[in-house]
Amino acid sequence: DPPFTFKLMVVHTFWPGASAQEVERQVTDKIEKKLQETPYIDRLSSYSRAGESTVLFFAKDSTPPAQVPDVYYQVRKKVGDIRHTLPAGVQGPFFNDEFGD
């Protein structure tokens, strides 16, 4: 095993036609705020550009491996909980936690 693996999940959302500022305010910020509640969160990193939001969720390195699937489930669930608050025309959010070696 590598000495250090990222426990990372990417939340990707598309909003065709929206400006970077609109994406930031109405998509990225909402997702980040909700994900602050996730157990084992280490940090969030995000970027917004025209029509696209990307939020990187990093779980703590100390997260027990057995807990990682549940943490990822919580990320999906929390974002699902606010899905209805995102603007009409939004595609996603899509989740990627497949980061092999």
Side-chain angles (χ1 to χ4, degrees):
D1 254 341
F4 152 108
T5 54
F6 273 129
K7 297 180 172 81
L8 167 65
M9 181 173 235
V10 178
V11 183
H12 216 125
T13 311
F14 299 97
W15 186 16
S19 70
Q21 289 82 2
E22 288 173 316
V23 170
E24 174 86 27
R25 196 172 64 247
Q26 298 193 52
V27 180
T28 307
D29 286 352
K30 286 183 179 181
I31 291 172
E32 279 200 313
K33 185 169 190 285
K34 187 66 180 172
L35 290 183
Q36 301 286 354
E37 304 168 7
T38 311
Y40 295 107
I41 183 173
D42 180 26
R43 63 194 170 91
L44 295 169
S45 178
S46 69
Y47 48 99
S48 302
R49 50 183 180 234
E52 190 176 347
S53 163
T54 305
V55 178
L56 306 176
F57 174 92
F58 294 90
K60 289 190 167 82
D61 283 339
S62 60
T63 305
Q67 287 299 119
V68 171
D70 187 59
V71 172
Y72 290 161
Y73 168 78
Q74 290 293 330
V75 170
R76 286 186 164 89
K77 184 175 178 330
K78 287 183 187 304
V79 173
D81 288 347
I82 62 158
R83 177 69 184 82
H84 69 281
T85 72
L86 300 180
V90 163
Q91 297 165 8
F94 304 100
F95 302 92
N96 185 1
D97 58 10
E98 300 301 315
F99 295 96
D101 298 339

